[in-house]
Amino acid sequence: MGTSKIPDFQQLFKGSKSGAYLTIEPKKVAIDPVAVWEVTADDELSLDRYEGYPNFYYKTEVEIPVVCISDRRVRKLKAFIYIMHEEREIGVPSQRYVDICLDGYEAFGFDENFIYEALNISLETSDEIALNHRKKRIY
């Protein structure tokens, strides 16, 4: 249908032992760019399975201004979004997954720096965890 931005959310890579994936979490003055699709009930069920709903991600509804592809007009629409459960740890995604995210950002004309910011948070957190583990072994 179009694109939008969700205010006061930042992107993070979080996950499980199988990998780290994009999610969003509240953060004042942050913005999360999103693409918006029209889906059928069957599409939503397929997405639920793909996203690991309700165990890995949960869904919530947002009302956002969408710049429609068909006529570039802005329409306020209700949409659902998937958010990873907050207790999941920040993780470092695979290069393949980052490349897929960057391809999507390029396709929609989004600023790729959002992906790089999330990746930097992951790398910094991963370095801090590794340093803390080394300190525990030394003492």
Side-chain angles (χ1 to χ4, degrees):
M1 294 193 68
T3 60
S4 186
K5 296 175 182 168
I6 301 176
D8 298 327
F9 277 86
Q10 75 170 350
Q11 295 182 352
L12 296 170
F13 289 103
K14 296 180 89 174
S16 66
K17 293 178 183 174
S18 68
Y21 307 96
L22 272 179
T23 188
I24 58 174
E25 287 191 359
K27 181 179 181 184
K28 290 289 182 200
V29 302
I31 296 174
D32 176 44
V34 293
V36 180
W37 281 269
E38 184 173 5
V39 296
T40 66
D42 286 341
D43 293 335
E44 186 173 350
L45 288 173
S46 293
L47 284 167
D48 286 350
R49 284 189 296 277
Y50 179 80
E51 297 294 352
Y53 168 81
N55 298 321
F56 199 56
Y57 286 89
Y58 62 91
K59 286 190 289 192
T60 191
E61 192 172 274
V62 294
E63 189 168 355
I64 51 177
V66 177
V67 178
C68 295
I69 290 173
S70 61
D71 59 11
R72 305 304 297 163
R73 290 181 56 199
V74 177
R75 293 181 176 82
K76 197 139 193 136
L77 299 175
K78 287 185 180 179
F80 65 86
I81 56 174
Y82 292 94
I83 299 176
M84 194 178 298
H85 291 284
E86 285 80 2
E87 71 273 4
R88 298 282 181 163
E89 298 290 328
I90 289 178
V92 178
S94 70
Q95 184 62 55
R96 182 176 183 276
Y97 184 73
V98 171
D99 289 344
I100 290 168
C101 294
L102 290 169
D103 286 347
Y105 267 60
E106 183 179 341
F108 287 102
F110 295 154
D111 183 350
E112 294 175 352
N113 283 320
F114 288 102
I115 298 293
Y116 293 124
E117 283 180 33
L119 187 56
N120 283 336
I121 291 169
S122 292
L123 293 170
E124 288 169 5
T125 302
S126 142
D127 287 346
E128 287 174 25
I129 290 170
L131 181 61
N132 287 335
H133 283 292
R134 281 194 294 265
K135 284 181 181 178
K136 287 179 186 175
R137 285 194 305 246
I138 293 172
Y139 298 112

